[in-house]
Every structure is written in C-alpha cells, then in structure tokens.
Amino acid sequence: MDEKVFDVTMIYIQNTAAGNYSLEFYCRNKNIKLNFSNVEGIELIAKIPLELKSSFVQLAEHLPKVWNMKLGYPTNFKISYSGRITIESM
C-alpha cells in the first residue's frame, strides 16, 4: 500500500494497541488518518531536507506511546507499509 499526502505541517503517530499504529497528517486543507496493524517499526526517510520545529516522543509505561513532529514548512510524503511503516519525503 502506498499513500501520498501533501502539504503536511505536522505528523502525529500513536501506538493504539500492541502492534497497531495510527498516523495522522495535518495538512493545509485537511487531516488524513491512516491505521496499520502488525507493525514491526516506523522509518522516516528524508530524501529532501526536512526542518523539524519540534518533536516529542512519549514512551512512558502507563501512558499512550506517541511521536509528534511539527515541521518547519509544508512537506509532501509517501507512506508505504510492508511489515514496517515507511514515511518518505518527496
């Protein structure tokens, strides 16, 4: 599965249950939410330079596991899944 998202300003990743992840992309005109199951990991590939304004990872034992990234400028991404989620700038 390949999905393309455009003009992304923020990415919100949440571990919803064991092996299940939800990715939400905040775009200029809309928000796009993708759900994945049986995930081994998440990889972020920057084929073009990315500027992060801020990033936060929460991995506490009794809290939801989340990873938020606020980007410096709108960026386009291709998301693919083959056991692991790959988020690639384009």
Side-chain angles (χ1 to χ4, degrees), residues 39-72:
V39 175
E40 297 171 5
I42 299 171
E43 180 178 20
L44 180 62
I45 300 172
K47 286 198 168 179
I48 59 169
L50 290 176
E51 180 182 322
L52 285 177
K53 279 193 164 192
S54 64
S55 181
F56 174 74
V57 177
Q58 178 173 285
L59 300 172
E61 182 89 17
H62 300 289
L63 295 173
K65 298 190 179 14
V66 297
W67 181 16
N68 298 332
M69 291 172 277
K70 187 168 187 173
L71 304 173

Side-chain angles (χ1 to χ4, degrees), residues 14-23 35-39 65 85:
Q14 182 175 12
N15 177 237
T16 55
N20 296 331
Y21 284 83
S22 170
L23 278 65
N35 295 304
F36 299 91
S37 58
N38 301 318
V39 175
K65 298 190 179 14
I85 301 168

Side-chain angles (χ1 to χ4, degrees), residues 9-41:
T9 57
M10 186 170 166
I11 302 171
Y12 180 77
I13 301 170
Q14 182 175 12
N15 177 237
T16 55
N20 296 331
Y21 284 83
S22 170
L23 278 65
E24 194 162 355
F25 296 89
Y26 294 84
C27 306
R28 282 187 178 170
N29 299 326
K30 61 182 173 179
N31 296 344
I32 298 168
K33 189 172 187 175
L34 304 172
N35 295 304
F36 299 91
S37 58
N38 301 318
V39 175
E40 297 171 5

